[in-house]
Amino acid sequence: MMSAKLRQFSSTRAKQCFGQILLASASAPVAIEKHGKVTAILTSPEFFERAQAASGASTSRVLARITQASVEKDRLIRHQRIALDLVLLPSNETSRLICNAMSIVNRWRNERLCSKDYIERWEEILRLQPKEMAEAIVSDMDGWGPSLRQNSPWVGLHA
């Protein structure tokens, strides 16, 4: 936030030229030094409010990123459990899970509920053998992993 050059004044000069320092602080913070060490920084209310707002916005962005990472982690864990089901359940139950997922993707297509990109990628995944399908749904899928897990046909499983 302090991208403007910080002007520095000695405490003696600050006492003598307080009006000049107030004018200088309107454009950028001003440091007051005593014995070569900065003891105070004077800034305009506008600059202070901008700095606080920027700090709050930055904190909000960081919090939003952390929240999103947590949500993606939960989705990944859910899909890891589904992957285990695909590999470990008896074949008739695995077939039922895949059939249910495919019917959801077909509904997306018929009712135009989702992007063609998601539909085609999920159809491709659902045509794989269960073991390969399990690996695919927990992988990055060429950068599509988080997006596909966000828009997943495995609704309600391990929610």
Side-chain angles (χ1 to χ4, degrees):
M1 190 72 209
M2 291 194 190
S3 58
K5 181 150 172 59
L6 184 71
R7 293 188 57 191
Q8 295 181 311
F9 291 86
S10 70
S11 58
T12 303
R13 182 153 163 83
K15 287 181 215 170
Q16 295 168 348
C17 306
F18 191 68
Q20 182 184 357
I21 290 174
L22 286 177
L23 286 173
S25 73
S27 59
V30 175
I32 310 296
E33 294 180 347
K34 188 170 188 173
H35 304 294
K37 293 173 83 175
V38 175
T39 57
I41 295 181
L42 180 68
T43 186
S44 68
E46 294 81 15
F47 185 90
F48 183 75
E49 288 169 7
R50 284 194 313 269
Q52 279 189 316
S55 173
S58 173
T59 302
S60 296
R61 284 191 297 274
V62 169
L63 183 58
R65 279 190 221 107
I66 291 169
T67 301
Q68 184 58 38
S70 175
V71 167
E72 170 51 24
K73 181 181 171 194
D74 290 343
R75 288 181 185 134
L76 178 60
I77 290 169
R78 193 172 323 121
H79 282 77
Q80 288 170 336
R81 291 177 182 153
I82 294 163
L84 286 172
D85 286 349
L86 290 169
V87 173
L88 299 175
L89 287 175
S91 62
N92 63 331
E93 290 185 48
T94 300
S95 295
R96 184 181 52 79
L97 287 175
I98 296 168
C99 185
N100 287 343
M102 188 56 93
S103 70
I104 289 170
V105 173
N106 288 334
R107 186 174 143 247
W108 291 348
R109 179 182 297 284
N110 295 336
E111 298 179 23
R112 297 184 176 147
L113 297 175
C114 137
S115 163
K116 184 179 176 183
D117 292 328
Y118 292 110
I119 292 168
E120 290 173 356
R121 289 179 190 277
W122 273 116
E123 286 174 337
E124 189 178 310
I125 292 167
L126 293 170
R127 283 192 290 269
L128 297 171
Q129 293 299 311
K131 186 175 187 240
E132 289 78 26
M133 188 182 309
E135 291 173 5
I137 68 173
V138 297
S139 74
D140 181 53
M141 296 182 257
D142 298 324
W144 280 84
S147 297
L148 289 172
R149 284 188 288 273
Q150 179 180 352
N151 200 19
S152 174
W154 306 101
V155 184
L157 288 178
H158 304 294

